[in-house]
Amino acid sequence: MTQDNLIKVGMADLNVAHHTGVLKTTGLGSCVGVTLYDSRAKVAGMAHVMLPSSEIAREGTMNIAKYADTAIPELIARMEKLGASVNKLEAKLAGGAQMFAFAGNNDTMRIGPRNVESCKEMLNKYKIPIRAEDTGANYGRTIEFHTETGILVIRSVQLGVKEI
């Protein structure tokens, strides 16, 4: 992979690629990397979702890439501008770890699992099937999504490299 076709996606960020390119994000702990792909149009998208719902947004100008309920619709819209069709999209997910152990059953501390649930709810709303996922557990991940093939490469210190 050359630097020319690497498209970085930061934390609470999203981006799209057409025909060639590798979308990459690092630091997925409790965050979820959502990838969408239209294999016919060769359009790929990735969002690095930090939190489940924009209802908790407190910033002045809301970062729509930060929340599952706003990032996924924006990602779909950007992909459609490049020729993707929402009814051809397929998803792959990674991340959503429970990075720290907490006593009790406090739902607010279940950020990783809640992020995964919210992403799945949004994908279901758009009737986008989830073809593969590597979510949960208690370790971080770095992901690369290849536009030409639709392959998601997942790297973690604990498990090395795998493709889904």
Side-chain angles (χ1 to χ4, degrees):
M1 172 179 57
T2 66
Q3 289 302 106
D4 294 342
N5 64 358
L6 181 65
I7 302 164
K8 292 184 179 177
V9 177
M11 186 178 288
D13 189 16
L14 57 84
N15 214 328
V16 294
H18 192 217
H19 290 292
T20 62
V22 177
L23 294 157
K24 179 178 181 175
T25 194
T26 61
L28 289 174
S30 60
C31 297
V32 175
V34 177
T35 64
L36 299 178
Y37 188 58
D38 179 331
S39 61
R40 180 191 46 79
K42 295 284 191 233
V43 176
M46 178 186 287
H48 185 131
V49 174
M50 277 182 69
L51 294 168
S53 173
S54 61
E55 292 175 9
I56 61 174
R58 287 186 172 74
E59 60 260 42
T61 304
M62 187 175 74
N63 176 357
I64 57 174
K66 189 174 186 177
Y67 307 96
D69 65 332
T70 52
I72 291 171
E74 177 66 17
L75 190 60
I76 292 168
R78 289 188 189 185
M79 291 177 71
E80 286 178 323
K81 286 179 183 172
L82 293 177
S85 175
V86 72
N87 62 351
K88 299 270 190 251
L89 294 177
E90 296 182 346
K92 293 181 181 180
L93 306 174
Q98 182 63 42
M99 296 301 289
F100 307 101
F102 295 100
N105 244 351
N106 188 345
D107 201 46
T108 59
M109 302 316 283
R110 293 181 54 251
I111 295 171
R114 286 175 48 224
N115 281 340
V116 173
E117 291 162 12
S118 293
C119 289
K120 287 181 176 182
E121 285 172 16
M122 287 305 299
L123 293 169
N124 187 48
K125 178 179 175 182
Y126 286 93
K127 296 179 175 49
I128 298 172
I130 299 169
R131 293 295 179 219
E133 68 178 290
D134 181 31
T135 58
N138 62 351
Y139 56 86
R141 297 162 173 94
T142 291
I143 61 172
E144 294 176 356
F145 192 57
H146 296 257
T147 305
E148 292 179 47
T149 61
I151 292 173
L152 181 61
V153 178
I154 303 160
R155 289 178 168 66
S156 66
V157 173
Q158 288 78 356
L159 301 176
V161 179
K162 73 175 178 178
E163 294 182 356
I164 59 173

PDB file of all heavy atoms in Angstrom, residues 3-19:
ATOM      1  N   GLN A   3       1.349   5.465   0.169  1.00  0.00           N
ATOM      2  CA  GLN A   3       0.722   6.574   0.871  1.00  0.00           C
ATOM      3  C   GLN A   3      -0.282   7.297  -0.025  1.00  0.00           C
ATOM      4  O   GLN A   3      -1.183   7.963   0.470  1.00  0.00           O
ATOM      5  CB  GLN A   3       1.783   7.552   1.380  1.00  0.00           C
ATOM      6  CG  GLN A   3       2.605   7.006   2.529  1.00  0.00           C
ATOM      7  CD  GLN A   3       1.781   6.610   3.738  1.00  0.00           C
ATOM      8  OE1 GLN A   3       1.577   5.452   4.028  1.00  0.00           O
ATOM      9  NE2 GLN A   3       1.277   7.583   4.441  1.00  0.00           N
ATOM     10  N   ASP A   4      -0.137   7.173  -1.339  1.00  0.00           N
ATOM     11  CA  ASP A   4      -1.019   7.866  -2.277  1.00  0.00           C
ATOM     12  C   ASP A   4      -2.466   7.431  -2.151  1.00  0.00           C
ATOM     13  O   ASP A   4      -3.375   8.228  -2.338  1.00  0.00           O
ATOM     14  CB  ASP A   4      -0.564   7.633  -3.726  1.00  0.00           C
ATOM     15  CG  ASP A   4       0.781   8.274  -4.003  1.00  0.00           C
ATOM     16  OD1 ASP A   4       1.191   9.152  -3.228  1.00  0.00           O
ATOM     17  OD2 ASP A   4       1.417   7.884  -4.995  1.00  0.00           O
ATOM     18  N   ASN A   5      -2.683   6.161  -1.848  1.00  0.00           N
ATOM     19  CA  ASN A   5      -4.065   5.691  -1.809  1.00  0.00           C
ATOM     20  C   ASN A   5      -4.574   5.467  -0.387  1.00  0.00           C
ATOM     21  O   ASN A   5      -5.630   4.902  -0.202  1.00  0.00           O
ATOM     22  CB  ASN A   5      -4.245   4.434  -2.665  1.00  0.00           C
ATOM     23  CG  ASN A   5      -3.454   3.252  -2.146  1.00  0.00           C
ATOM     24  OD1 ASN A   5      -2.729   3.334  -1.162  1.00  0.00           O
ATOM     25  ND2 ASN A   5      -3.594   2.124  -2.815  1.00  0.00           N
ATOM     26  N   LEU A   6      -3.842   5.941   0.625  1.00  0.00           N
ATOM     27  CA  LEU A   6      -4.274   5.826   2.013  1.00  0.00           C
ATOM     28  C   LEU A   6      -5.109   7.044   2.388  1.00  0.00           C
ATOM     29  O   LEU A   6      -4.665   8.185   2.246  1.00  0.00           O
ATOM     30  CB  LEU A   6      -3.058   5.714   2.944  1.00  0.00           C
ATOM     31  CG  LEU A   6      -3.383   5.574   4.423  1.00  0.00           C
ATOM     32  CD1 LEU A   6      -4.101   4.256   4.684  1.00  0.00           C
ATOM     33  CD2 LEU A   6      -2.111   5.654   5.244  1.00  0.00           C
ATOM     34  N   ILE A   7      -6.327   6.777   2.845  1.00  0.00           N
ATOM     35  CA  ILE A   7      -7.234   7.844   3.265  1.00  0.00           C
ATOM     36  C   ILE A   7      -7.468   7.669   4.759  1.00  0.00           C
ATOM     37  O   ILE A   7      -8.107   6.707   5.185  1.00  0.00           O
ATOM     38  CB  ILE A   7      -8.563   7.777   2.485  1.00  0.00           C
ATOM     39  CG1 ILE A   7      -8.298   7.890   0.982  1.00  0.00           C
ATOM     40  CG2 ILE A   7      -9.517   8.858   2.973  1.00  0.00           C
ATOM     41  CD1 ILE A   7      -9.460   7.459   0.118  1.00  0.00           C
ATOM     42  N   LYS A   8      -6.937   8.594   5.541  1.00  0.00           N
ATOM     43  CA  LYS A   8      -7.049   8.483   6.993  1.00  0.00           C
ATOM     44  C   LYS A   8      -8.409   8.976   7.466  1.00  0.00           C
ATOM     45  O   LYS A   8      -8.933   9.977   6.977  1.00  0.00           O
ATOM     46  CB  LYS A   8      -5.929   9.263   7.672  1.00  0.00           C
ATOM     47  CG  LYS A   8      -4.573   8.638   7.429  1.00  0.00           C
ATOM     48  CD  LYS A   8      -3.484   9.354   8.188  1.00  0.00           C
ATOM     49  CE  LYS A   8      -2.161   8.662   7.918  1.00  0.00           C
ATOM     50  NZ  LYS A   8      -1.045   9.339   8.558  1.00  0.00           N
ATOM     51  N   VAL A   9      -8.944   8.236   8.416  1.00  0.00           N
ATOM     52  CA  VAL A   9     -10.195   8.604   9.065  1.00  0.00           C
ATOM     53  C   VAL A   9      -9.858   8.765  10.547  1.00  0.00           C
ATOM     54  O   VAL A   9      -9.471   7.802  11.208  1.00  0.00           O
ATOM     55  CB  VAL A   9     -11.278   7.520   8.861  1.00  0.00           C
ATOM     56  CG1 VAL A   9     -12.555   7.892   9.605  1.00  0.00           C
ATOM     57  CG2 VAL A   9     -11.561   7.316   7.379  1.00  0.00           C
ATOM     58  N   GLY A  10      -9.965   9.977  11.038  1.00  0.00           N
ATOM     59  CA  GLY A  10      -9.629  10.254  12.428  1.00  0.00           C
ATOM     60  C   GLY A  10     -10.721   9.824  13.383  1.00  0.00           C
ATOM     61  O   GLY A  10     -11.768   9.298  12.983  1.00  0.00           O
ATOM     62  N   MET A  11     -10.493  10.073  14.659  1.00  0.00           N
ATOM     63  CA  MET A  11     -11.510   9.785  15.667  1.00  0.00           C
ATOM     64  C   MET A  11     -12.664  10.770  15.475  1.00  0.00           C
ATOM     65  O   MET A  11     -12.434  11.953  15.226  1.00  0.00           O
ATOM     66  CB  MET A  11     -10.901   9.945  17.066  1.00  0.00           C
ATOM     67  CG  MET A  11     -11.827   9.527  18.183  1.00  0.00           C
ATOM     68  SD  MET A  11     -11.057   9.689  19.807  1.00  0.00           S
ATOM     69  CE  MET A  11      -9.888   8.350  19.752  1.00  0.00           C
ATOM     70  N   ALA A  12     -13.882  10.269  15.538  1.00  0.00           N
ATOM     71  CA  ALA A  12     -15.081  11.082  15.311  1.00  0.00           C
ATOM     72  C   ALA A  12     -15.011  11.736  13.923  1.00  0.00           C
ATOM     73  O   ALA A  12     -15.233  12.924  13.756  1.00  0.00           O
ATOM     74  CB  ALA A  12     -15.261  12.128  16.410  1.00  0.00           C
ATOM     75  N   ASP A  13     -14.687  10.921  12.932  1.00  0.00           N
ATOM     76  CA  ASP A  13     -14.483  11.387  11.568  1.00  0.00           C
ATOM     77  C   ASP A  13     -15.094  10.359  10.618  1.00  0.00           C
ATOM     78  O   ASP A  13     -15.407   9.234  11.021  1.00  0.00           O
ATOM     79  CB  ASP A  13     -12.970  11.507  11.323  1.00  0.00           C
ATOM     80  CG  ASP A  13     -12.591  12.179  10.014  1.00  0.00           C
ATOM     81  OD1 ASP A  13     -13.447  12.842   9.392  1.00  0.00           O
ATOM     82  OD2 ASP A  13     -11.417  12.041   9.610  1.00  0.00           O
ATOM     83  N   LEU A  14     -15.262  10.738   9.362  1.00  0.00           N
ATOM     84  CA  LEU A  14     -15.710   9.798   8.339  1.00  0.00           C
ATOM     85  C   LEU A  14     -15.161  10.231   7.001  1.00  0.00           C
ATOM     86  O   LEU A  14     -14.785  11.384   6.818  1.00  0.00           O
ATOM     87  CB  LEU A  14     -17.235   9.662   8.322  1.00  0.00           C
ATOM     88  CG  LEU A  14     -18.108  10.906   8.131  1.00  0.00           C
ATOM     89  CD1 LEU A  14     -18.280  11.271   6.667  1.00  0.00           C
ATOM     90  CD2 LEU A  14     -19.472  10.640   8.732  1.00  0.00           C
ATOM     91  N   ASN A  15     -15.082   9.268   6.079  1.00  0.00           N
ATOM     92  CA  ASN A  15     -14.588   9.576   4.750  1.00  0.00           C
ATOM     93  C   ASN A  15     -15.061   8.500   3.776  1.00  0.00           C
ATOM     94  O   ASN A  15     -15.517   7.437   4.198  1.00  0.00           O
ATOM     95  CB  ASN A  15     -13.067   9.681   4.728  1.00  0.00           C
ATOM     96  CG  ASN A  15     -12.580  10.728   3.739  1.00  0.00           C
ATOM     97  OD1 ASN A  15     -13.209  10.966   2.702  1.00  0.00           O
ATOM     98  ND2 ASN A  15     -11.463  11.363   4.059  1.00  0.00           N
ATOM     99  N   VAL A  16     -14.931   8.800   2.486  1.00  0.00           N
ATOM    100  CA  VAL A  16     -15.346   7.875   1.438  1.00  0.00           C
ATOM    101  C   VAL A  16     -14.244   7.738   0.407  1.00  0.00           C
ATOM    102  O   VAL A  16     -13.356   8.589   0.312  1.00  0.00           O
ATOM    103  CB  VAL A  16     -16.663   8.340   0.757  1.00  0.00           C
ATOM    104  CG1 VAL A  16     -17.823   8.286   1.736  1.00  0.00           C
ATOM    105  CG2 VAL A  16     -16.511   9.743   0.183  1.00  0.00           C
ATOM    106  N   ALA A  17     -14.301   6.659  -0.366  1.00  0.00           N
ATOM    107  CA  ALA A  17     -13.340   6.415  -1.442  1.00  0.00           C
ATOM    108  C   ALA A  17     -14.069   5.774  -2.609  1.00  0.00           C
ATOM    109  O   ALA A  17     -15.057   5.066  -2.426  1.00  0.00           O
ATOM    110  CB  ALA A  17     -12.217   5.500  -0.950  1.00  0.00           C
ATOM    111  N   HIS A  18     -13.542   6.027  -3.812  1.00  0.00           N
ATOM    112  CA  HIS A  18     -14.164   5.518  -5.031  1.00  0.00           C
ATOM    113  C   HIS A  18     -13.111   4.790  -5.861  1.00  0.00           C
ATOM    114  O   HIS A  18     -12.066   5.366  -6.154  1.00  0.00           O
ATOM    115  CB  HIS A  18     -14.756   6.698  -5.806  1.00  0.00           C
ATOM    116  CG  HIS A  18     -15.648   6.311  -6.916  1.00  0.00           C
ATOM    117  ND1 HIS A  18     -15.676   7.005  -8.097  1.00  0.00           N
ATOM    118  CD2 HIS A  18     -16.553   5.321  -7.057  1.00  0.00           C
ATOM    119  CE1 HIS A  18     -16.571   6.455  -8.903  1.00  0.00           C
ATOM    120  NE2 HIS A  18     -17.109   5.431  -8.296  1.00  0.00           N
ATOM    121  N   HIS A  19     -13.353   3.552  -6.224  1.00  0.00           N
ATOM    122  CA  HIS A  19     -12.499   2.689  -7.048  1.00  0.00           C
ATOM    123  C   HIS A  19     -11.204   2.263  -6.368  1.00  0.00           C
ATOM    124  O   HIS A  19     -10.973   1.089  -6.190  1.00  0.00           O
ATOM    125  CB  HIS A  19     -12.210   3.305  -8.417  1.00  0.00           C
ATOM    126  CG  HIS A  19     -13.414   3.342  -9.296  1.00  0.00           C
ATOM    127  ND1 HIS A  19     -14.009   2.214  -9.800  1.00  0.00           N
ATOM    128  CD2 HIS A  19     -14.152   4.385  -9.732  1.00  0.00           C
ATOM    129  CE1 HIS A  19     -15.056   2.554 -10.519  1.00  0.00           C
ATOM    130  NE2 HIS A  19     -15.167   3.863 -10.497  1.00  0.00           N
TER     131      HIS A  19
END
